[in-house]
């Protein structure tokens, strides 16, 4: 075949595309299990961070198994949904788009070294440039926040991206999610500005107003459906 012809060029390109595509597909399939394992480990690390446990990457799975003693999925009535998928497998990004009374609500149980129980609830929302997410842990009273973890996909460094830093997350320690038996989301407000109705609040990120508002909205939207579950903890 004439290597200078258009036909040869087209065939060459087609063969090359097939070979490269097959190689990429094979690589993707071969690494799928490892990629999933890495994603699971990162999720475990984030859950542990919400109960103030920081561990090296090599010890995440072992530490998670030690402290996360159980998990469940509850509904908006606070009852355990035994027909739901495993809590770890539920996509919070998908659930927050559903009506509150239709959501599957994962809960992780954590037992710390001092024997105290914490309950970890996932969150998902929108920042300025992309999704934000996190986990909040509450004491067995169903209200007091023990720890919090926040992350983002593409917020501005030095501004909205500060939500992932300890100085922001630690503001949530000791704040309340329930007031007089009713859910009261922790507000994220401009520094020095109190919130109405006496609800607890934290200072927003200076220069990151939209991201700060996104965190506040995420807390409200993600955690409000847990109100009956939180009440049941307090009652028990």
């Amino acid at each position: 075949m004439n290597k200078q012809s258009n036909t040869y060029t087209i065939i060459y390109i087609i063969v090359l595309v097939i070979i490269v595509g097959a190689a990429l597909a094979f690589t993707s399939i071969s690494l799928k299990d490892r990629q999933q394992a890495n994603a699971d480990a990162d999720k475990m690390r984030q859950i542990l961070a919400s109960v103030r446990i920081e561990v090296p990457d090599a010890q995440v799975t072992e530490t998670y198994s030690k402290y996360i003693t159980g998990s469940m999925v509850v509904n908006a009535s606070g009852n355990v949904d035994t027909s739901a998928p495993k809590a770890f497998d539920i996509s919070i990004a998908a659930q927050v788009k559903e009506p509150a009374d239709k959501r599957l609500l994962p809960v992780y149980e954590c037992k710390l070294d001092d024997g105290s129980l914490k309950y970890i609830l996932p969150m998902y929302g929108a920042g300025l440039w992309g999704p934000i997410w996190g986990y909040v842990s509450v004491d067995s009273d169903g209200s007091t926040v023990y720890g919090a973890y926040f992350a983002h996909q593409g917020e501005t460094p030095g501004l909205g991206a500060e939500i992932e830093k300890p100085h922001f997350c630690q503001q949530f320690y000791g704040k309340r999610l329930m007031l007089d038996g009713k859910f009261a989301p922790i507000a994220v407000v401009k520094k020095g500005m109190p919130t109405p109705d006496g609800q607890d609040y934290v200072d927003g990120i200076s220069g990151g107003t939209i991201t700060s508002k996104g965190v506040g909205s995420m807390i409200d939207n993600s955690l409000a459906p847990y109100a009956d579950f939180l009440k049941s903890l307090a009652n028990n």
Side-chain angles (χ1 to χ4, degrees):
M1 180 180 293
N2 182 5
K3 293 185 178 181
Q4 303 301 320
S5 68
N6 291 335
T7 301
Y8 177 84
T9 301
I10 293 172
I11 293 175
Y12 179 83
I13 292 174
I14 291 173
V15 171
L16 184 62
V17 169
I18 292 174
I19 294 174
V20 172
L24 291 175
F26 175 78
T27 301
S28 177
I29 293 173
S30 300
L31 296 177
K32 185 176 181 179
D33 290 344
R34 182 179 299 178
Q35 291 171 340
Q36 186 61 52
N38 289 339
D40 289 348
D42 186 54
K43 185 173 181 177
M44 292 177 187
R45 179 187 61 78
Q46 294 178 26
I47 292 173
L48 289 171
S50 74
V51 283
R52 312 186 200 177
I53 298 175
E54 303 289 342
V55 293
D57 291 343
Q59 300 176 17
V60 168
T61 302
E62 178 184 353
T63 306
Y64 182 88
S65 298
K66 175 183 177 181
Y67 289 102
I68 306 303
T69 55
S71 64
M72 64 185 119
V73 178
V74 300
N75 56 31
S77 297
N79 299 316
V80 176
D81 186 345
T82 57
S83 64
K86 292 181 179 179
F88 197 85
D89 296 333
I90 291 176
S91 168
I92 306 305
Q95 291 302 314
V96 295
K97 298 177 183 178
E98 298 291 332
D101 61 346
K102 302 295 184 183
R103 295 183 195 174
L104 300 176
L105 307 171
V107 179
Y108 301 91
E109 297 176 338
C110 173
K111 187 173 184 179
L112 298 179
D113 290 331
D114 62 4
S116 62
L117 289 176
K118 311 299 177 185
Y119 296 87
I120 304 166
L121 315 177
M123 304 175 290
Y124 192 92
L128 174 59
W129 302 113
I132 56 177
W133 63 91
Y135 296 88
V136 62
S137 61
V138 298
D139 290 337
S140 55
D141 65 1
S143 177
T144 308
V145 173
Y146 176 75
Y149 171 86
F150 298 97
H152 64 92
Q153 180 172 295
E155 299 307 290
T156 307
L159 298 176
E162 294 295 298
I163 64 171
E164 67 182 3
K165 299 298 178 62
H167 68 80
F168 180 75
C169 299
Q170 290 170 4
Q171 291 188 84
F172 289 83
Y173 297 1
K175 303 299 184 183
R176 298 165 298 169
L177 288 172
M178 303 290 289
L179 293 176
D180 298 325
K182 296 181 179 180
F183 177 73
I186 300 167
V188 183
V189 300
K190 187 176 181 180
K191 188 174 183 178
M193 297 294 292
T195 59
D197 303 323
Q199 70 189 100
D200 285 356
Y201 65 93
V202 300
D203 293 334
I205 300 297
S206 179
T209 302
I210 295 179
T211 307
S212 297
K213 289 181 177 180
V215 172
S217 296
M218 175 177 70
I219 293 171
D220 191 359
N221 181 42
S222 297
L223 301 186
Y226 285 94
D228 284 344
F229 170 74
L230 295 174
K231 286 181 187 177
S232 71
L233 292 180
N235 292 335
N236 291 331

